[in-house]
Amino acid sequence: ILNVEQSPQSLHVQEGDSTNFTCSFPSSNFYALHWYRWETAKSPEALFVMTLNGDEKKKGRISATLNTKEGYSYLYIKGSQPEDSATYLCASLDNYGQNFVFGPGTRLSVLP
Amino acid sequence: KAGVTQTPRYLIKTRGQQVTLSCSPISGHRSVSWYQQTPGQGLQFLFEYFSETQRNKGNFPGRFSGRQFSNSRSEMNVSTLELGDSALYLCASSLASSSSYEQYFGPGTRLTVT
């Protein structure tokens, strides 16, 4: 069973600050990593699907990198805005079970 | 394009009963996955259906089952409900295998077991 960890658990930043958080996953038998943003009272929204070592993906002010050899992914938010406040989840998938294991999430609060 | 819909949105059941939840995926999506979200355990994968076949299954007891119809709509059934089954149940659809494609989540069904 995969163990996916995320840090920090929560984060408070000021509007305009850039921030980043980490998702750690077992590197053996890695298949894919997903990032999601989950705002309160809404459904999780897909941000990125990453599969290749060294992958870098970007969507607006949000970007992510992937290191499958050491088992981590970083999510970066440039110039945080209050609307970025949400819980950011990563989910890892391995070659065996082909089922998703979600991390506990990083709760981001952007203060105006 | 209409999003993923789930019915019902809220449900209250008593212990020992059984419940069926429904999920209609985005048109054209063939994969439907189900998740359980509880405060203590976070978001946990239940199972995935693709072309009416269960592809993957998480670590849940046999009381949790599902199926998918030819129009890709999916149902999840929980038998002999326990208090610990109280949770938000989310379904998500994707074009094909959920491992390689973005998943689009529905609004969820909030199940309360008393």
Side-chain angles (χ1 to χ4, degrees):
Chain A
I1 298 176
L2 291 178
N3 187 31
V4 179
E5 298 175 351
Q6 291 186 248
S7 62
Q9 185 176 24
S10 64
L11 195 55
H12 297 262
V13 301
Q14 290 294 135
E15 183 176 356
D17 287 351
S18 293
T19 187
N20 66 85
F21 16 95
T22 308
C23 172
S24 301
F25 53 88
S27 56
S28 58
N29 304 302
F30 170 84
Y31 189 84
L33 186 89
H34 290 221
W35 278 102
Y36 294 89
R37 174 171 61 200
W38 197 353
E39 295 179 64
T40 303
K42 294 186 178 180
S43 306
E45 173 196 352
L47 289 173
F48 306 112
V49 177
M50 309 176 82
T51 56
L52 299 176
N53 184 46
D55 247 357
E56 289 189 32
K57 297 215 171 179
K58 189 176 180 188
K59 188 182 284 191
R61 294 180 292 98
I62 305 177
S63 60
T65 61
L66 179 67
N67 183 322
T68 62
K69 295 187 187 305
E70 297 181 41
Y72 65 83
S73 175
Y74 292 138
L75 189 80
Y76 301 90
I77 302 179
K78 185 178 177 182
S80 302
Q81 300 296 309
E83 58 264 32
D84 296 329
S85 297
T87 296
Y88 291 82
L89 294 166
C90 66
S92 183
L93 192 70
D94 66 12
N95 277 323
Y96 289 137
Q98 285 278 297
N99 62 64
F100 283 99
V101 177
F102 278 82
T106 293
R107 185 185 296 273
L108 174 68
S109 297
V110 182
L111 307 173
Chain B
K1 193 185 265 191
V4 178
T5 59
Q6 292 185 246
T7 57
R9 293 292 311 279
Y10 302 92
L11 203 51
I12 300 175
K13 291 283 190 177
T14 56
R15 277 180 297 176
Q17 286 187 313
Q18 67 109 27
V19 67
T20 299
L21 311 182
S22 180
C23 173
S24 292
I26 290 172
S27 177
H29 285 193
R30 296 171 63 192
S31 169
V32 174
S33 297
W34 287 89
Y35 298 88
Q36 180 196 65
Q37 201 259 346
T38 57
Q41 298 294 323
L43 199 57
Q44 296 186 87
F45 172 78
L46 280 154
F47 28 67
E48 178 192 8
Y49 284 87
F50 179 75
S51 293
E52 301 178 65
T53 302
Q54 187 180 89
R55 287 191 70 243
N56 307 307
K57 191 175 192 304
N59 297 314
F60 278 81
R63 299 185 298 107
F64 291 81
S65 63
R67 59 178 176 168
Q68 187 180 34
F69 302 95
S70 58
N71 61 358
S72 294
R73 189 177 70 85
S74 177
E75 287 182 347
M76 188 191 89
N77 185 75
V78 187
S79 62
T80 320
L81 283 165
E82 300 176 359
L83 293 179
D85 297 332
S86 295
L88 178 68
Y89 290 90
L90 292 165
C91 79
S93 75
S94 59
L95 275 172
S97 165
S98 59
S99 56
S100 303
Y101 291 85
E102 291 183 347
Q103 294 187 85
Y104 295 82
F105 283 81
T109 294
R110 172 80 60 186
L111 172 65
T112 302
V113 182
T114 62

